[in-house]
Amino acid sequence: MTTYDLIVIGAGAVGENVADYATRNGLKVGLVEAELVGGECSYWACMPSKALLRSSAVVRAAKSLDGAKQAVTGDVDVAAVLRRRDSFTSNWDDSGQADWVEGAGIDLIRGHATITGVKEVTVNGEVHQAKYAVAAVTGSSALLPDIPGLAESRPWTSREATSVKVMPQSVVIVGGGVVAAEMATAYQQLGSAVTLIARSGLLGGQEPFAGELVADSLRGLGVDVRLGVSPSNVLRTEHDTVEATLDDDSTVIADEIIVATGRVPRTTDLGLENVGLTPGEWLDVDDTMLVKGTDWLYGVGDVNHRALLTHQGKYQARAAGEVIAARAFGKPVQAEPWGAHVATADDAAVPQVTFTDPEVASVGLTADAAGKRGIDVKVVDYDLAAVAGSAIHSDEYRGQARLVVDESRKVIVGATFVGPDVSDLLHAATIAVVGEVPIDRLWHAVPSYPTVSEVWLRLLDAYGRP
């Protein structure tokens, strides 16, 4: 039996951060990984998907600007895009990540981990004991909806979509969330004919105008966007194509089908039943990431279902790694809202960028979500294309900005920007939301001219002077 102070199950970006911050604070940590060190984000999600999107986005940006578009004389080199994508995944070789783990003073344990008792984890038949805590950082997997014939049709999920070796001539994508919208953008621009099927519209958790603008843009790219319908049956034909029959009786035939309809927790084979928890369910945690009903088990990242985003999981991980060490050494725990050992921002200050064209950048609450919380909401909208910096940025600029203001406190509780490169606007909004900066004070944060950031001045002007 090997004993550690902390055992972390899952060596993705989030698990690495839990282990790193705990190690920095004096704990001996064992980090278990069944697949590739670096996890989903490094090999099948954030990094490869953005690499697939970026080259086409740059070409489109150049084509939207007179003087630059004349220099664009060819199409995107798909093979070069895939090679560049491979470089970001290190060709699915995790040796560099494993070297980092070793250099950080963390023990890497390869194999499938099962929780076999309180503070006990078994890997490849070897029992490892945790003196203080176990952190389950196993992430999530793609949900495969119960559609007749779908499982037998050999569907792709985000993993196959982001690691594609040869672009199919045609794909049908099922789903309306971030993965579906981004993959529709990427695949269409890399030469596939794309049909996007979204039962409830696009980007449902965002402000309504975000999904509408993205849907319009996808149609402009040539994507066949079908909203309000879903597959009722899927068949892999004798010609090795996929035939999807929709509930409006129409049929779509494509080379491949990509399913992007949600996520499920990777807790089915974690051994939760051995410690009185239910396999296959999300881990219910408090703000320090401690699983409720335990004093030793932590759930960090996607597995706790608080915010399924890598950057938010890493934020949780920093708090979790440090609070585990603080509790181990009997140090004070700062568990009050916005304290060092909690992930308060998970509740109403989560930033997110969808890398479609146009981009969607948002933080905090939508107007609808704020209203449902009983907040006295004032919505401030502004046409991003009307800002001088936007006109300089692109001859074809189209976008929209919205602030959601809590009128009782005079602070911003949500912001959404849709347009080219609006991800660069997001952190300012995140600081305003997290810092609860009063509207009156924001008037003194002067945006430089002529930049797209001038939209802040225009939004405040639309809201009204103090």
Side-chain angles (χ1 to χ4, degrees), residues 353-379:
V353 177
T354 303
F355 289 89
T356 43
D357 188 357
E359 291 179 349
V360 178
S362 64
V363 63
L365 302 174
T366 63
D368 181 63
K372 289 178 178 177
R373 291 191 177 209
I375 294 172
D376 181 12
V377 173
K378 180 173 181 177
V379 173

Side-chain angles (χ1 to χ4, degrees), residues 49-71:
S49 65
K50 304 314 168 282
L52 289 176
L53 286 158
R54 182 58 183 161
S55 298
S56 298
V58 170
V59 171
R60 284 204 74 199
K63 287 182 176 179
S64 74
L65 200 63
D66 200 17
K69 64 184 179 184
Q70 289 83 355

Side-chain angles (χ1 to χ4, degrees), residues 122-145:
T122 300
V123 184
N124 301 331
E126 182 177 353
V127 178
H128 302 271
Q129 195 73 31
K131 185 176 180 180
Y132 299 113
V134 173
V137 199
T138 48
S140 63
S141 299
L143 167 68
L144 199 64

Side-chain angles (χ1 to χ4, degrees), residues 78-394:
V78 176
V81 170
L82 296 181
R83 286 196 302 271
R84 185 170 186 267
R85 183 275 318 272
D86 292 349
S87 72
F88 281 100
T89 63
S90 301
N91 288 292
W92 292 271
D93 178 353
D94 69 352
S95 56
Q97 296 268 30
D99 289 344
W100 177 87
V101 170
E102 181 181 352
I106 302 163
D107 284 1
L108 178 60
I109 307 164
R110 290 193 181 269
H112 178 77
T114 304
I115 298 172
T116 46
V118 174
K119 300 180 186 177
E120 181 181 282
V121 176
T122 300
V123 184
N124 301 331
E126 182 177 353
V127 178
H128 302 271
Q129 195 73 31
K131 185 176 180 180
Y132 299 113
V134 173
V137 199
T138 48
S140 63
S141 299
L143 167 68
L144 199 64
D146 187 18
I147 298 171
L150 178 61
E152 295 75 20
S153 70
R154 304 193 306 276
W156 287 7
T157 66
S158 54
R159 283 199 166 197
E160 291 80 12
T162 56
S163 61
V164 61
K165 299 299 183 184
V166 178
M167 296 300 299
Q169 289 187 339
S170 58
V171 294
V172 55
I173 300 176
V174 182
V178 171
V179 173
E182 289 187 347
M183 288 301 95
T185 303
Y187 271 62
Q188 184 73 32
Q189 294 185 111
L190 294 175
S192 295
V194 177
T195 301
L196 178 61
I197 301 169
R199 179 180 59 190
S200 303
L202 298 188
L203 306 180
Q206 300 283 349
E207 297 286 5
F209 64 80
E212 292 166 4
L213 286 169
V214 169
D216 288 347
S217 175
L218 287 172
R219 291 188 179 101
L221 291 173
V223 176
D224 181 2
V225 179
R226 305 193 186 188
L227 305 181
V229 294
S230 59
S232 56
N233 186 76
V234 179
L235 172 69
R236 176 67 71 168
T237 72
E238 60 183 8
H239 303 294
D240 202 29
T241 58
V242 174
E243 181 178 305
T245 301
L246 310 186
D247 53 15
D248 65 355
D249 294 328
S250 63
T251 300
V252 179
I253 297 176
D255 291 328
E256 303 292 349
I257 183 168
I258 299 173
V259 180
T261 53
R263 307 289 292 180
V264 293
R266 287 184 184 156
T267 59
T268 303
D269 56 357
L270 187 56
L272 294 181
E273 67 277 9
N274 298 322
V275 291
L277 298 172
T278 305
E281 292 190 354
W282 304 98
L283 296 179
D284 186 18
V285 301
D286 65 18
D287 278 356
T288 68
M289 304 302 113
L290 182 66
V291 175
K292 294 176 181 178
T294 79
D295 62 0
W296 61 275
L297 181 61
Y298 291 75
V300 192
D302 279 15
V303 75
N304 62 37
H305 205 233
R306 287 166 65 102
L308 277 66
L309 297 160
T310 297
H311 51 268
Q312 210 68 20
K314 290 164 72 173
Y315 161 70
Q316 296 173 10
R318 295 188 286 271
E322 291 189 342
V323 78
I324 292 168
R327 286 171 172 155
F329 295 126
K331 295 181 178 180
V333 172
Q334 299 176 33
E336 70 282 358
W338 306 111
H341 298 134
V342 292
T344 307
D346 285 348
D347 176 54
V350 175
Q352 180 174 1
V353 177
T354 303
F355 289 89
T356 43
D357 188 357
E359 291 179 349
V360 178
S362 64
V363 63
L365 302 174
T366 63
D368 181 63
K372 289 178 178 177
R373 291 191 177 209
I375 294 172
D376 181 12
V377 173
K378 180 173 181 177
V379 173
V380 185
D381 287 325
Y382 197 80
D383 179 2
L384 259 177
V387 177
S390 301
I392 291 174
H393 189 90
S394 169

